[in-house]
Amino acid sequence: MNNTSYNILPYPSAVYESTDPAQLGAIASLMGVDSAPAKSARVLELGCGDGANICALAALYPNAEFVGVDLSETHIDLGRERVASTGLANISLQCASIMDLGTELGSFDYIIAHGVYSWVPVDVQKKIIQICKSRLTRTGLVYISYNVLPGWNNIQTVREMMMFHAAKFKEPDEQIREARRMLSFVHENVSGSETYRQVLKDEINLISGSSDSHLFHDLMGVHNTPYYFQDFVSAARTEGLAYVADFSLATLFLGTYSEKARETLSKVKDPGEAEQYLDFLSNRRYRRSILCHADQPVHRTIGPDQIRGLFYFADLKQTGSEDDGATKFATVDGSTWIQTPVKAGISSATSTLSTTSEVIDKILRIFTENRNSPLSVEELTQNLANTSSEAQPDDIEAKLLNAMPELIVRGVLRATSMPVQVATTVSDAPEVWWYARSAAKAGGVVSNLLHKTIVLDEAVRALMPLMDGTNTFEEILEHYVALCVDGTLTVRENESIVSDRNRLRDLLALSMKELMETLAANALLVR
C-alpha cells in the first residue's frame, strides 16, 4: 500500500468546501488576518488527486490561477481530461513528488493540502510545511487537514486489526475484501468489557460504510499518523508559520461545554493551549487548520470591524417552537443529496438550536428565507429594517453586529469574502451554474456556487444539463416525461410503473417545481 496503489485504485473524485479560498480568507479576516482576494489569487493544491476539487475552484474564480500537484500519473491524467472537457484555462495539473518541488512554481496566496499530511512519511510532512512557508506570499494562507489525537486512538485500533489480517494478502482487491471480513468478524465476536465492545462496534459501523478506495487509502495506507494539535502547531511554528483558526469554528466554541469547563478554560491565556484542552474534552479526531506567516498578528475577538465587509450564509430551516416561546431552527453541514421526485436531504447529522432573542430570531428567519445565499451586513440590516418600522438603521445595525459573533462561532453562520450571485427564486428558464451542468454529464457528484458537494440521483443528473437558461420549465418537463416513456427513467404510483404521458405530466409537474426550488436552495441556480 504505497503511492503506486493510487494508479491501481484511484481515489474517488471529491470537492472540499473547506478549501475554498474565499471562505478561508473570510475566517482569517474574522481573526484579524489580511489575505489576498480569492478572485485574483494564485492557489496551489498539494495532492490534488484527479483535480475534482481544484478544477471546481478554478471554475468559481476564472480570474485566479490554480496549480495542482499529485504523484499519481493516473490521477493527473484524469484531471487533465477534466480540464480539457470543461475548457478551464486558468489551471495547470502536474505529476510530481512533493519532495521534488522547489521554486519553479512561484509563490502562492493560498496553499491547500487536504487529506495529505497524515498520510505521508515524516520527511514529506516536513517538506509540506517548508513549501508552505517558502512559497507563501506575505499575506498568504495555508490550509492543512490531518488526523488528531485523542480521537484517532479508537480508529487506530480498528485500523491495526484490518492491517494485521490484510497483510497476508498481496493484491489490493484481496486486502480490501479481507479487511471487510475482519471488520465483520470482530463486530460479531468482540468480547471484553461493555465499553470496549461498544467502542469497537461504533467504529466498525462507521468504517463499514466507507468506499473501497477510502478504506484502502485512508484507513489502510502504510502511513497514517495522527498528531496532538499542539504538536502540529509546534511543527508549523518551527518553520515560521502561525496558527490562525480551524475551518470549523463551531468546534472551538466554549458555549457548548459545561459551566465548569467554560470557567476553567477561559482562564487559559494561550488560545492554542485552550484548543488542545477542547480536543481532549471532545475526543476530537480531525482538524482543518488555517496557517499564516508567523509575523502576521492574529486576534481572536470577533468585533464589528472584522464582521463588516464579509458575506454570510447558512443552510438553515425553521423546525418549530417550544413551550417557553423559543423558536427552533436546524442547521445542516455535509454533502447534500438531491433526488426526484420530491426528495432531498443531507448526508450528515443535523444540529438544532433555539432562541428566545427577538433579534437573533429575526436574523435566523432571514437566513431561512435566503438559504445558502450570502448576504452582506448592509443587506442584513435592510432586511431587519423591513421588519421594524420604529428602529433607526444605525440601531438595527448595532444590534445585528452584537448578535452575529455568537452565531458565527457557533457555526450557524458561515462567512465568505466574495459576493456570490445565487438565484433564490426560479425563473421560467432556469439556469444551473455551468460547471455543475458539465459535472452532471460526467457523474452524479457536482459542486455548487459555495464549493459544496451535491450528490445527484439519475433523474436529476439527466435533467440538469438542460437547465442552461435556454429551455423553459415546460420544455424540461416534456423531456422528463419522454425519458420516463422510453424507459430511461421510471416513475411509480402505487408500486406500478407509470407510462401514460398525461399521468406522467401531472405527477412530474409538481416534482419538477420542487426540484427547481431545491436547486435554488442549494446554491446551484444562477437564474
Side-chain angles (χ1 to χ4, degrees), residues 20 70 93 106 110 124 174 186 212 218 300 333 346 400 406 408 414 446 460 469 508 527:
D20 177 6
D70 199 272
L93 301 180
Y110 296 88
V124 182
E174 293 178 319
V186 173
D212 285 351
D218 287 5
R300 286 186 170 80
D333 188 22
I346 195 78
L400 173 68
E406 180 177 350
I408 292 168
R414 301 279 291 279
V446 304
V460 183
L508 296 179
R527 189 175 62 141

Side-chain angles (χ1 to χ4, degrees), residues 468-509:
D468 60 359
T470 66
N471 298 300
T472 66
F473 180 92
E474 287 298 325
E475 288 171 334
I476 299 171
L477 176 59
E478 286 303 316
H479 184 77
Y480 195 179
V481 170
L483 290 175
C484 293
V485 170
D486 70 16
T488 301
L489 301 175
T490 57
V491 172
R492 295 179 180 273
E493 186 178 30
N494 299 325
E495 300 185 0
S496 298
I497 296 176
V498 181
S499 57
D500 179 73
R501 279 185 177 274
N502 291 330
R503 185 56 184 156
L504 281 168
R505 193 175 291 106
D506 291 341
L507 290 173
L508 296 179

Side-chain angles (χ1 to χ4, degrees), residues 355-522:
T355 181
T356 56
S357 164
E358 181 180 357
V359 173
I360 292 180
D361 179 84
K362 287 182 177 180
I363 293 171
L364 296 181
R365 287 176 187 269
I366 290 170
F367 281 103
T368 61
E369 295 169 0
N370 296 272
R371 282 183 61 197
N372 289 311
S373 179
L375 300 172
S376 66
V377 170
E378 291 77 11
E379 290 170 318
L380 285 168
T381 300
Q382 185 58 54
N383 271 278
L384 285 173
N386 292 338
T387 66
S388 178
S389 58
E390 299 180 1
Q392 296 298 311
D394 289 347
D395 295 335
I396 293 173
E397 184 186 71
K399 290 181 179 179
L400 173 68
L401 293 174
N402 184 60
M404 286 185 70
E406 180 177 350
L407 295 175
I408 292 168
V409 297
R410 279 185 178 272
V412 178
L413 299 186
R414 301 279 291 279
T416 178
S417 62
M418 291 286 294
V420 182
Q421 301 303 314
V422 176
T424 56
T425 57
V426 182
S427 71
D428 185 54
E431 182 179 353
V432 168
W433 178 45
W434 76 268
Y435 191 76
R437 296 200 313 271
S438 176
K441 295 176 183 178
V445 178
V446 304
S447 58
N448 68 4
L449 289 158
L450 297 171
H451 199 56
K452 182 176 181 179
T453 296
I454 309 289
V455 182
L456 310 177
D457 78 346
E458 184 182 9
V460 183
R461 179 186 170 190
L463 296 174
M464 187 172 282
L466 298 172
M467 302 175 193
D468 60 359
T470 66
N471 298 300
T472 66
F473 180 92
E474 287 298 325
E475 288 171 334
I476 299 171
L477 176 59
E478 286 303 316
H479 184 77
Y480 195 179
V481 170
L483 290 175
C484 293
V485 170
D486 70 16
T488 301
L489 301 175
T490 57
V491 172
R492 295 179 180 273
E493 186 178 30
N494 299 325
E495 300 185 0
S496 298
I497 296 176
V498 181
S499 57
D500 179 73
R501 279 185 177 274
N502 291 330
R503 185 56 184 156
L504 281 168
R505 193 175 291 106
D506 291 341
L507 290 173
L508 296 179
L510 177 60
S511 175
M512 279 278 295
K513 182 177 182 297
E514 293 175 338
L515 170 61
M516 299 300 181
E517 292 171 349
T518 301
L519 296 178
N522 283 282

Side-chain angles (χ1 to χ4, degrees), residues 175-216:
Q175 293 173 335
I176 293 167
R177 181 193 67 223
E178 293 302 320
R180 292 193 184 281
R181 287 185 61 192
M182 184 65 180
L183 291 178
S184 298
F185 173 75
V186 173
H187 191 278
E188 294 170 3
N189 298 285
V190 61
S191 59
S193 69
E194 176 61 30
T195 300
Y196 178 70
R197 293 198 303 273
Q198 193 59 52
V199 166
L200 277 189
K201 286 187 175 184
D202 288 345
E203 292 299 335
I204 290 171
N205 287 337
L206 285 173
I207 294 171
S208 296
S210 300
S211 67
D212 285 351
S213 185
H214 174 76
L215 185 77
F216 187 66

Side-chain angles (χ1 to χ4, degrees), residues 63-95:
N63 295 318
E65 182 183 351
F66 294 83
V67 178
V69 175
D70 199 272
L71 184 59
S72 167
E73 292 181 7
T74 300
H75 279 159
I76 293 299
D77 287 344
L78 290 170
R80 287 172 176 166
E81 290 176 10
R82 187 191 307 273
V83 172
S85 67
T86 53
L88 292 169
N90 59 335
I91 182 171
S92 170
L93 301 180
Q94 301 187 20
C95 184

Side-chain angles (χ1 to χ4, degrees), residues 17-85:
E17 184 181 12
S18 54
T19 64
D20 177 6
Q23 294 190 52
L24 296 175
I27 293 173
S29 183
L30 290 169
M31 300 295 116
V33 177
D34 293 332
S35 60
K39 64 181 180 180
S40 57
R42 290 197 82 229
V43 182
L44 170 66
E45 182 171 18
L46 300 173
C48 67
D50 67 1
N53 184 64
I54 197 169
C55 284
L57 289 174
L60 276 177
Y61 307 111
N63 295 318
E65 182 183 351
F66 294 83
V67 178
V69 175
D70 199 272
L71 184 59
S72 167
E73 292 181 7
T74 300
H75 279 159
I76 293 299
D77 287 344
L78 290 170
R80 287 172 176 166
E81 290 176 10
R82 187 191 307 273
V83 172
S85 67

Side-chain angles (χ1 to χ4, degrees), residues 158-412:
V158 178
R159 162 181 154 81
E160 290 171 356
M161 291 177 178
M162 290 191 297
M163 294 188 71
F164 173 80
H165 180 63
K168 302 178 178 68
F169 304 87
K170 292 183 178 181
E171 299 301 322
D173 59 341
E174 293 178 319
Q175 293 173 335
I176 293 167
R177 181 193 67 223
E178 293 302 320
R180 292 193 184 281
R181 287 185 61 192
M182 184 65 180
L183 291 178
S184 298
F185 173 75
V186 173
H187 191 278
E188 294 170 3
N189 298 285
V190 61
S191 59
S193 69
E194 176 61 30
T195 300
Y196 178 70
R197 293 198 303 273
Q198 193 59 52
V199 166
L200 277 189
K201 286 187 175 184
D202 288 345
E203 292 299 335
I204 290 171
N205 287 337
L206 285 173
I207 294 171
S208 296
S210 300
S211 67
D212 285 351
S213 185
H214 174 76
L215 185 77
F216 187 66
H217 295 302
D218 287 5
L219 299 174
M220 296 172 61
V222 174
H223 303 285
N224 194 323
T225 310
Y227 286 92
Y228 283 105
F229 168 65
Q230 280 287 279
D231 291 338
F232 173 81
V233 170
S234 178
R237 188 185 299 120
T238 299
E239 298 296 336
L241 295 173
Y243 173 71
V244 176
D246 194 89
F247 183 81
S248 180
L249 292 177
T251 60
L252 315 180
F253 181 57
L254 281 174
T256 58
Y257 293 86
S258 68
E259 182 178 350
K260 179 64 176 177
R262 295 197 302 271
E263 179 185 350
T264 301
L265 294 181
S266 65
K267 298 175 183 177
V268 179
K269 294 182 179 180
D270 181 354
E273 183 180 349
E275 287 192 32
Q276 180 61 76
Y277 284 116
L278 289 179
D279 282 5
F280 290 145
L281 294 180
S282 64
N283 198 35
R284 188 161 179 163
R285 60 177 61 185
Y286 190 67
R287 271 187 172 270
R288 298 173 291 178
S289 292
I290 304 169
L291 309 173
C292 67
H293 283 297
D295 58 2
Q296 284 270 64
V298 180
H299 307 287
R300 286 186 170 80
T301 301
I302 301 176
D305 290 341
Q306 290 99 313
I307 292 174
R308 290 189 183 96
L310 299 176
F311 302 85
Y312 300 89
F313 63 95
D315 197 341
L316 197 65
K317 300 177 183 178
Q318 185 178 338
T319 58
S321 57
E322 298 178 346
D323 293 339
D324 61 359
T327 308
K328 296 173 64 179
F329 296 87
T331 180
V332 295
D333 188 22
S335 298
T336 298
W337 51 264
I338 299 175
Q339 296 180 341
T340 186
V342 295
K343 289 184 179 180
I346 195 78
S347 66
S348 61
T350 299
S351 300
T352 59
L353 63 150
S354 61
T355 181
T356 56
S357 164
E358 181 180 357
V359 173
I360 292 180
D361 179 84
K362 287 182 177 180
I363 293 171
L364 296 181
R365 287 176 187 269
I366 290 170
F367 281 103
T368 61
E369 295 169 0
N370 296 272
R371 282 183 61 197
N372 289 311
S373 179
L375 300 172
S376 66
V377 170
E378 291 77 11
E379 290 170 318
L380 285 168
T381 300
Q382 185 58 54
N383 271 278
L384 285 173
N386 292 338
T387 66
S388 178
S389 58
E390 299 180 1
Q392 296 298 311
D394 289 347
D395 295 335
I396 293 173
E397 184 186 71
K399 290 181 179 179
L400 173 68
L401 293 174
N402 184 60
M404 286 185 70
E406 180 177 350
L407 295 175
I408 292 168
V409 297
R410 279 185 178 272
V412 178

